[in-house]
Amino acid sequence: TNDAVQAAVRDHLTGDILQIPPMVSAVKIDGKRLHELAREGLEVERAPRPVTVKRFDIAPTADPLVYTAEVQCSKGTYIRTLADDLGRLCGGGAHLRNLRRTAVGSFTADQALAPDVVELLSLPQAMRDYPQVTIDAAAAALVGNGRVLERERAGFVGEGPWAVIGPEGNLLEPSPQHCRQ
């Protein structure tokens, strides 16, 4: 019933939850990706991973066995697994007919352009979802030579990664000759 579906979503599939990655994911176990193992016909034990489902709006359609859903979640969330979990919680099974990503961070589908009219973003714009730290010319010269900046002195806050912005407003990166592969 719709009430059972709504209760399952509300009570078990929103907020901070643990999710078991599907066998068709890119997660590595013992150096091999799960999808590679699945293609070999193997299924292995997978540890649950913490994810956050901020919003899981679900609504019935004219077909009593079909629902529409909109999910806002943290990175690493498997939407197909959410559907499968919902079906199991309701005493059966479930799968997705259509899956469409409508946003990645602050980038939304409304901002998307056709490939023939694509506009390249500046690097600082492309990194807009990362915490940004602006450094002075002396520190920018050090970064250009491959130097690692001290977190406290440079003003890095949080876990990162960070977009390091130079005094001219450009995204900095170490000089290629100073990078190790």
Side-chain angles (χ1 to χ4, degrees):
T1 66
N2 184 45
D3 289 342
V5 170
Q6 298 295 338
V9 167
R10 179 186 65 243
D11 298 342
H12 302 286
L13 298 175
T14 54
D16 295 329
I17 64 173
L18 292 175
Q19 191 177 60
I20 297 173
M23 281 300 301
V24 291
S25 70
V27 171
K28 284 187 177 180
I29 302 231
D30 295 330
K32 263 197 141 170
R33 298 198 183 274
L34 288 175
H35 64 81
E36 293 170 340
L37 296 172
R39 284 189 190 114
E40 294 173 14
L42 301 173
E43 184 161 347
V44 296
E45 188 79 20
R46 289 140 3 241
R49 295 173 168 225
V51 297
T52 301
V53 179
K54 298 173 186 115
R55 186 174 57 85
F56 191 165
D57 297 334
I58 193 154
T61 65
D63 182 335
L65 297 177
V66 176
Y67 287 78
T68 62
E70 286 191 26
V71 177
Q72 183 181 8
C73 57
S74 64
K75 68 179 183 175
T77 304
Y78 294 96
I79 304 302
R80 286 184 174 85
T81 300
L82 277 180
D84 182 60
D85 291 343
L86 178 57
R88 290 175 197 272
L89 287 166
C90 292
H95 68 277
L96 297 182
R97 283 189 181 170
N98 298 302
L99 177 60
R100 181 172 181 245
R101 181 171 285 188
T102 58
V104 176
S106 67
F107 297 94
T108 65
D110 295 338
Q111 299 167 323
L113 300 172
D116 58 335
V117 287
V118 70
E119 296 174 14
L120 291 179
L121 298 175
S122 70
L123 288 174
Q125 288 173 317
M127 299 290 291
R128 70 185 185 205
D129 289 340
Y130 291 89
Q132 294 191 354
V133 175
T134 302
I135 59 176
D136 61 24
L142 294 173
V143 169
N145 287 321
R147 175 77 64 84
V148 175
L149 301 177
E150 295 178 32
R151 276 180 72 135
E152 294 77 29
R153 189 176 288 171
F156 295 99
V157 177
E159 291 302 311
W162 302 272
V164 180
I165 309 296
E168 294 87 34
N170 56 321
L171 183 71
L172 299 180
E173 58 183 307
S175 175
Q177 69 261 27
H178 294 95
C179 292
R180 292 185 197 145
Q181 296 292 346

